[in-house]
């Protein structure tokens, strides 16, 4: 049998997830994106994306940051408001 605190935590996590637009703000994070030729580190900090690939350095955007924007969708964009 699970402890009652565990059950309460699960219930609270479900509520927080449903209320994510009011409760969750992405400030910063780093992820590893496996590219076709090598892995890249994509970062997000206070509304700004970074990537260690050459394309991002030249253009300020790349397929790796666009991938993360596509995966996270409005979740990150809400944090910028």
């Amino acid at each position: 049998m699970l402890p009652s605190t565990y059950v309460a935590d699960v219930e609270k996590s479900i509520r927080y997830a449903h209320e994510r637009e009011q409760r969750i703000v992405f400030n910063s994070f780093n992820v590893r994106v496996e590219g076709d030729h090598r892995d890249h580190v994509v970062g997000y900090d206070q509304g700004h994306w970074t990537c260690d690939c050459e394309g991002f350095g030249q253009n300020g955007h790349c397929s790796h940051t666009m991938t993360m924007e596509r995966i996270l969708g409005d979740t990150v964009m809400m944090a910028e408001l």
Side-chain angles (χ1 to χ4, degrees):
M1 184 163 168
L2 296 173
S4 62
T5 56
Y6 181 82
V7 173
D9 285 344
V10 169
E11 290 172 351
K12 188 183 279 190
S13 74
I14 292 167
R15 183 168 49 92
Y16 284 2
H18 286 292
E19 298 170 351
R20 66 182 161 263
E21 291 178 6
Q22 295 84 24
R23 294 191 176 269
I24 308 299
V25 176
F26 285 92
N27 294 315
S28 63
F29 58 84
N30 288 313
V31 297
R32 179 178 48 92
V33 176
E34 294 182 20
D36 287 340
H37 304 288
R38 69 179 186 90
D39 295 353
H40 297 283
V41 176
V42 174
Y44 179 85
D45 188 19
Q46 304 297 323
H48 302 284
W49 290 98
T50 60
C51 184
D52 65 356
C53 76
E54 188 175 319
F56 187 87
Q58 292 174 351
N59 305 312
H61 60 82
C62 65
S63 60
H64 314 109
T65 57
M66 290 177 181
T67 297
M68 293 308 302
E69 289 174 322
R70 182 175 300 275
I71 289 170
L72 296 172
D74 291 341
T75 303
V76 172
M77 299 309 156
M78 296 295 289
E80 296 177 19
L81 299 178

